[in-house]
Amino acid sequence: PERFGRADLEKAGGDGVSVFLDLRQDSGEFLGNHLQGALWTPMEGTALTEVVGSFVPEKTPLVLLVNEDEEVEEAVRQLVRIGYDDLVGWIPVEEALSSGTATESIAQIETGQLAETRADSPGLVLDVRRAAESVEGQFADAKQIAHTRLAVRLGELPKSGRIYVHCRSGRRATFAAAYLASKGYDVIHVDGFVHEHLASQPAWGGSSARARK
């Protein structure tokens, strides 16, 4: 892929087709500031191929936002291996963020703040754990869709209203929240080990939140 400059980045950001892949490892840094519409695809483990394979149609032009130049070759190798070969460019992520290209953030709360926050600002709770993980407990009125199935089940989510996205620890919820934000949804990322709160407060959910309001 071509080494992008500012003009290339702005062109890709405005074409309505290209997808930015943010390879930073720190989810908090990503949530706090990223290029508008970017997906969080850290290089660690299988996250890059998992996120792209789940959320991005094949033949979509991809732009890599890298931590260092050496990541480009490995990212390309991983993506080509799963059939994504339209890699049009790359640029260091910090350079991209300071280029003037539109950026955005995703609001974040801790799991312990969810009930109170929903009481003030109602919304759907989206559980992006696997269905088998529901044995750990679920919020009474949560919608369960595994993060890898979100793209094919997107039509099940309301077009308006807020969506609180959680998983087991927060990592998969970041993948999902970034994807939903890129599709125009109003999302809040719920961070932390949710099963601990489900075990101690099994009555969490829309009914209890609405009652307190």
Side-chain angles (χ1 to χ4, degrees):
E2 178 185 350
R3 204 298 191 183
F4 270 12
R6 176 176 179 175
D8 304 305
L9 196 65
E10 291 180 349
K11 182 179 179 180
D15 66 13
V17 178
S18 299
V19 171
F20 296 127
L21 304 179
D22 192 317
L23 274 59
R24 284 179 290 177
Q25 300 296 330
D26 191 309
S27 62
E29 290 183 1
F30 172 84
L31 291 166
N33 188 33
H34 55 267
L35 291 192
Q36 193 171 67
L39 300 179
W40 184 51
T41 55
M43 286 289 291
E44 180 184 11
T46 61
L48 173 61
T49 54
E50 179 182 296
V51 171
V52 173
S54 298
F55 298 148
V56 182
E58 290 186 15
K59 304 306 178 185
T60 298
L62 302 175
V63 179
L64 302 172
L65 310 177
V66 303
N67 301 287
E68 51 191 26
D69 298 2
E70 290 74 16
E71 287 181 333
V72 176
E73 183 177 352
E74 175 60 18
V76 170
R77 186 190 67 80
Q78 290 189 29
L79 291 167
V80 168
R81 181 167 50 83
I82 63 169
Y84 290 83
D85 56 7
D86 194 3
L87 291 132
V88 295
W90 65 275
I91 187 172
V93 63
E94 293 304 327
E95 183 178 332
L97 292 173
S98 62
S99 68
T101 304
T103 62
E104 63 184 355
S105 62
I106 296 173
Q108 183 176 17
I109 62 171
E110 297 294 325
T111 51
Q113 300 173 297
L114 179 56
E116 182 179 356
T117 304
R118 285 188 76 201
D120 294 331
S121 182
L124 172 72
V125 174
L126 178 63
D127 178 354
V128 296
R129 297 175 299 168
R130 298 185 303 274
E133 294 176 87
S134 63
V135 295
E136 297 178 345
Q138 282 185 301
F139 298 119
D141 58 351
K143 176 76 172 178
Q144 191 278 320
I145 303 176
H147 76 288
T148 55
R149 302 294 297 165
L150 267 180
V152 296
R153 297 179 61 184
L154 199 61
E156 298 178 29
L157 299 178
K159 294 292 187 180
S160 60
R162 178 158 289 176
I163 299 178
Y164 295 90
V165 187
H166 83 82
C167 59
R168 190 175 191 273
S169 65
R171 181 177 172 85
R172 287 171 289 177
T174 307
F175 299 147
Y179 173 69
L180 291 174
S182 77
K183 297 299 180 182
Y185 288 84
D186 177 11
V187 295
I188 302 290
H189 176 263
V190 183
D191 191 39
F193 288 95
V194 72
H195 68 286
E196 298 174 358
H197 295 275
L198 286 168
S200 62
Q201 301 184 53
W204 268 19
S207 58
S208 59
R210 285 190 291 269
R212 279 192 298 275
K213 186 177 180 181

